[in-house]
Amino acid sequence: MPRSERSALLLAGLLATAGVGHFVSPRQFDATIPRALPGAPRTWTYASGVAELALAAGVAVPRTRRVAALATAAFFVGVFPANVQMAVDWRRRPAPQKAAAMARLPLQVPLVLWARSVAKGRKGQS
């Protein structure tokens, strides 16, 4: 299997795993929903889980990969405020949790770049 295909399937797997996580353990995701968003946090949790599953399916299929990977890059940018919310909310938690929340912030950059490289059909991360 070419590296670019492997990279796309790994990205699809990451998205699918995260998407399923929104339904298996929604409470942890609810807590990261920015309070400025209208409606119930659980609605946003489920909506983002559905989006991740749809993006995973699109990235996994070569015919839809380019558009889905670009949408994935946009999605990763769009969920950044939730990561900021988590970092703010967890700043008084024990050091390992605080470190995990802070580590999520710069992690968005390689995720966006990975999705863009998949869209371009490059090797990306594999």
Side-chain angles (χ1 to χ4, degrees):
M1 175 182 310
R3 275 183 82 178
S4 60
E5 178 76 9
R6 226 178 18 251
S7 182
L9 294 178
L10 285 169
L11 179 60
L14 173 78
L15 289 162
T17 300
V20 168
H22 283 72
F23 295 96
V24 172
S25 297
R27 187 178 296 157
Q28 72 181 16
F29 294 97
D30 292 347
T32 68
I33 303 299
R35 290 178 282 283
L37 290 174
R42 182 63 51 94
T43 302
W44 289 101
T45 294
Y46 287 155
S48 61
V50 167
E52 285 174 320
L53 291 170
L55 291 168
V59 169
V61 177
R63 177 175 225 151
T64 57
R65 181 169 296 149
R66 182 179 178 285
V67 171
L70 289 172
T72 297
F75 178 82
F76 286 148
V77 170
V79 299
F80 186 73
N83 292 341
V84 171
Q85 183 72 55
M86 183 180 185
V88 168
D89 290 346
W90 287 24
R91 67 185 181 273
R92 289 184 181 81
R93 292 221 177 162
Q97 290 178 329
K98 184 169 37 174
M102 295 303 288
R104 290 183 69 163
L105 299 175
L107 180 62
Q108 291 304 111
V109 173
L111 289 174
V112 170
L113 295 175
W114 183 14
R116 288 186 60 213
S117 75
V118 167
K120 293 177 181 179
R122 289 198 228 145
K123 295 175 194 166
Q125 298 178 1
S126 57

